Amino acid sequence: MTAARSRATASLLKDGRVLIAGGESSGASLATLEIFDPAAGSFSPVYRSLSAPRQDHAAAMLADGRVVIAGGSSGDAVLDSADLFDPATGEVSPAGKMTVARAGLTATTLLDGRVLLAGGNNGERDLASTEIFDPARGAFLPAAAMDVARSGHVAFRVPNNNSVLIA
């Protein structure tokens, strides 16, 4: 890799490459991105950075191929910001503010192209709240809460269904 990192996200892009975003290295949160190209067997830096260093964030690919990278921790504070990465241009742009600052959350793309952001921790406690990122509106909207507060969990959309399994 171009940088040693843990607590990052890895997102499979439509062209088969993998976007690696943020994370932590030697105790510091990272704002850097890199792309792994499995055909070439190499990593390349992205020459744009996230709006804030972030670790324990979530990422999901949108229907148009962009990746939303949301929340996480800067190491000092839990973040409510999100970014959009466009693999066609290599550009990073702001995606707005989530309804709640959260780290240790999940991001799951739904069949209609929206993204469910679930749970996490706000720096004081685990959260049962969820929200939806609507890329068509460029907005984060509150959604129904989970029965149990959680962070550091996993979430998967059930195939051919809009249900999300959160464990």
Side-chain angles (χ1 to χ4, degrees), residues 28-114:
S29 295
L30 302 173
T32 58
L33 303 129
E34 58 186 284
I35 292 184
F36 174 66
D37 183 345
S42 63
F43 292 87
S44 302
V46 173
Y47 294 104
R48 299 287 186 256
S49 296
L50 299 170
S51 61
R54 58 182 82 229
Q55 61 187 351
D56 298 325
H57 53 283
M61 189 173 66
L62 305 176
D64 63 7
R66 293 177 302 160
V67 177
V68 62
I69 303 160
S73 168
S74 66
D76 296 324
V78 177
L79 305 171
D80 64 358
S81 63
D83 294 312
L84 288 169
F85 171 74
D86 187 339
T89 64
E91 294 296 321
V92 177
S93 59
K97 299 280 186 187
M98 298 187 304
T99 63
V100 175
R102 52 181 88 221
L105 68 156
T106 55
T108 308
T109 304
L110 303 174
L111 289 174
D112 63 4
R114 297 177 306 149

Side-chain angles (χ1 to χ4, degrees), residues 118-143:
N121 186 292
N122 66 4
E124 296 177 9
R125 67 183 185 291
D126 286 348
L127 303 170
S129 64
T130 69
E131 56 190 284
I132 298 283
F133 174 64
D134 184 344
R137 293 172 59 184
F140 290 88
L141 309 166

